[in-house]
Amino acid sequence: MKNILVTGGAGFIGSNFINYILDKRDDYNIVNLDKLTYAGNLENLIPSQKKQNYHFVKGDIVNSEFVDLIFRKYDIKYVINFAAESHVDRSILGSEVFFRTNVIGTNVLLEAARRYEVEKFLQVSTDEVYGSLGENGLFTEDTPLHPNSPYSASKASADLVALAFHHTYDVPVVITRCSNNYGQYQFPEKLIPLMIINSLNEKKLPVYGDGMNVRDWIYVLDHNKAIEIVFEKGRISEVYNVGASNEIPNIEIVKLILKHLGKSEELIEYVKDRLGHDRRYAINSSKIKKELGWSPCYKFEEAIIQTIDWYKKNKNWWESIISGKYQDYYKTQYGTK
Ligand code: NAD
Ligand code: DAU
């Protein structure tokens, strides 16, 4: 049995990871440590909740005494660190909590990993640490770090802290840097769920700038399969890029969603651009493919339709979210409810 601390497992990617992995492995004992911020939702974990090898603990990764207690109590030997403040726009509205959770929190986990001599520490990072691309080229693992937002600066810092803990103390760290995810349970503030939900509600779809910023989309289960394989086979101190080669301008995604839902393009509203908006991300994943045998399984054209249909069928899930505090965030970010 592997005792694995999964942090941030009530969020979008972490909950999909736990549900996926517990469905196929009974030799993993998962302890999910999550603060349940606005982005954490235990409803995402209904498929895992009754499993004997799943344990939920509410807590903050910044709290070192509490983290220590969890390592001791559950005899933690592995860590997969998903926990983070993850939304670029919120980091532009206020950056402090991003550095607190993403940098200090990662440092606290690494200190515990060192004390308890864990066998692997997987840091879940992002392609945003590389900054922005021009019209050509792809991010490789050797692309220099050039984060442009408070969010990406905090994630790049966390990567550096993790690598330093390997270099200095031999903590067995490995890092994944993935591109933009989409799929079920993604919090409605992110582009794809936001546009689906606003379309369903016949609300305006706020497109930043000229809508031609490009993101490289990957279905969440493909990301989670990459995490599984890096966790099992990834070489210590290495970084692995993860992406599915689906570069798409934002406006095309928005139009695709409207078309599938049979809604008018008149709902599109071009709004003030995001400050410091990165123009283009695109990932070269050849290292993880060649070295570890990972490749994406889901076709964008099919998985995006499945995702839109999931939000259509699961109104209860998002209606309770958008009726609460989310409304205040929406008003601050978009100037309207
Ligand atoms: P999310 O915002 O949906 O979930 C984050 C989770 O972390 C939430 O459950 C939240 O409650 C928890 N959390 C936040 N602060 C915490 C703290 N101090 N202590 C304990 N738990 C805390 O994020 P996500 O989209 O699922 O992203 C997960 C990870 O993957 C993040 O590290 C993110 O940087 C990375 N990532 C995300 C994407 C993407 O497209 N969403 C792409 C690449 C990498
Ligand atoms: O690349 C990986 C990153 O992808 C992750 O590290 C982040 O955690 C994740 O949030 C995501 O960051 P982005 O900033 O790329 O995602 P977001 O969904 O916020 O925005 C995607 C694109 O859509 C971006 O170009 C901004 C644009 N956008 C977004 C929103 C919320 C709009 O045009 N309008 C909007 O209202």
Side-chain angles (χ1 to χ4, degrees):
M1 203 63 151
K2 283 185 169 165
N3 291 336
I4 309 170
L5 180 67
V6 172
T7 67
F12 163 50
I13 304 174
S15 61
N16 275 290
F17 177 78
I18 292 174
N19 293 336
Y20 161 73
I21 210 76
L22 287 182
D23 205 33
K24 71 183 273 211
R25 318 260 328 204
D26 45 24
D27 57 331
Y28 282 12
N29 188 40
I30 301 273
V31 179
N32 174 11
L33 171 61
D34 196 298
K35 190 181 174 185
L36 298 183
T37 66
Y38 77 94
N41 186 346
L42 290 179
E43 275 183 46
N44 304 359
L45 289 150
I46 288 170
S48 301
Q49 262 162 10
K50 293 212 170 93
K51 300 214 160 97
Q52 298 236 317
N53 53 341
Y54 171 73
H55 316 268
F56 174 71
V57 184
K58 183 171 184 228
D60 189 335
I61 59 167
V62 175
N63 183 340
S64 54
E65 276 173 31
F66 189 67
V67 166
D68 192 273
L69 192 142
I70 299 303
F71 271 72
R72 208 166 346 118
K73 177 170 177 195
Y74 292 98
D75 191 20
I76 296 298
K77 286 290 167 224
Y78 301 86
V79 178
I80 305 180
N81 183 25
F82 289 97
E85 287 293 333
S86 72
H87 190 38
V88 173
D89 290 327
R90 287 192 194 244
S91 82
I92 294 167
L93 291 172
S95 60
E96 194 179 331
V97 68
F98 283 74
F99 290 94
R100 193 178 168 278
T101 288
N102 300 2
V103 187
I104 309 287
T106 301
N107 184 68
V108 165
L109 293 170
L110 285 160
E111 284 287 4
R114 173 162 85 100
R115 277 196 303 281
Y116 288 90
E117 299 181 339
V118 302
E119 290 173 33
K120 206 160 206 177
F121 187 108
L122 194 161
Q123 174 67 9
V124 181
S125 187
T126 166
D127 63 352
E128 294 199 14
V129 298
Y130 298 122
S132 185
L133 290 164
E135 279 184 18
N136 301 306
L138 302 173
F139 296 132
T140 72
E141 289 81 358
D142 295 325
T143 302
L145 300 186
H146 196 298
N148 287 321
S149 69
Y151 162 69
S152 55
S154 70
K155 292 295 290 184
S157 308
D159 286 12
L160 294 178
V161 178
L163 291 172
F165 266 67
H166 168 68
H167 185 83
T168 310
Y169 307 114
D170 234 2
V171 175
V173 164
V174 62
I175 296 177
T176 54
R177 292 188 182 139
C178 189
S179 62
N180 285 61
N181 287 221
Y182 65 97
Q184 60 185 8
Y185 304 130
Q186 187 167 30
F187 195 81
E189 68 195 352
K190 304 286 170 69
L191 179 78
I192 289 181
L194 176 80
M195 297 300 168
I196 298 171
I197 290 169
N198 279 16
S199 303
L200 289 168
N201 285 339
E202 304 265 346
K203 273 181 77 167
K204 289 286 184 192
L205 310 191
V207 174
Y208 297 158
D210 63 0
M212 291 306 290
N213 296 65
V214 170
R215 295 295 181 262
D216 189 351
W217 294 95
I218 182 170
Y219 188 56
V220 63
L221 284 184
D222 275 329
H223 181 191
N224 282 332
K225 286 177 184 187
I227 287 175
E228 178 187 18
I229 208 162
V230 171
F231 180 66
E232 285 292 331
K233 300 200 288 186
R235 282 184 298 133
I236 300 307
S237 86
E238 293 293 317
V239 172
Y240 294 91
N241 282 354
V242 182
S245 302
N246 291 303
E247 280 184 57
I248 307 176
N250 296 333
I251 191 67
E252 273 186 34
I253 301 257
V254 171
K255 287 184 178 171
L256 183 158
I257 291 169
L258 285 168
K259 188 165 177 217
H260 183 66
L261 292 174
K263 304 285 181 176
S264 161
E265 288 188 9
E266 284 177 13
L267 287 176
I268 295 171
E269 182 173 50
Y270 289 92
V271 300
K272 190 169 157 282
D273 208 353
R274 173 183 280 177
L275 295 179
H277 197 173
D278 284 340
R279 191 64 175 169
R280 175 173 164 259
Y281 302 148
I283 275 263
N284 176 331
S285 317
S286 50
K287 178 174 173 182
I288 189 174
K289 286 180 178 156
K290 281 192 199 130
E291 206 179 292
L292 305 182
W294 173 86
S295 60
C297 306
Y298 294 89
K299 285 202 174 79
F300 178 80
E301 300 72 25
E302 292 168 12
I304 187 71
I305 297 300
Q306 269 181 31
T307 302
I308 299 171
D309 290 343
W310 185 87
Y311 281 90
K312 217 170 138 183
K313 279 197 213 107
N314 289 276
K315 274 194 173 183
N316 287 347
W317 182 86
W318 53 261
E319 268 175 347
S320 57
I321 295 173
I322 66 167
S323 60
K325 272 194 180 157
Y326 180 72
Q327 295 230 350
D328 300 333
Y329 162 74
Y330 201 93
K331 176 114 183 29
T332 310
Q333 179 63 18
Y334 299 101
T336 166
K337 284 208 178 180

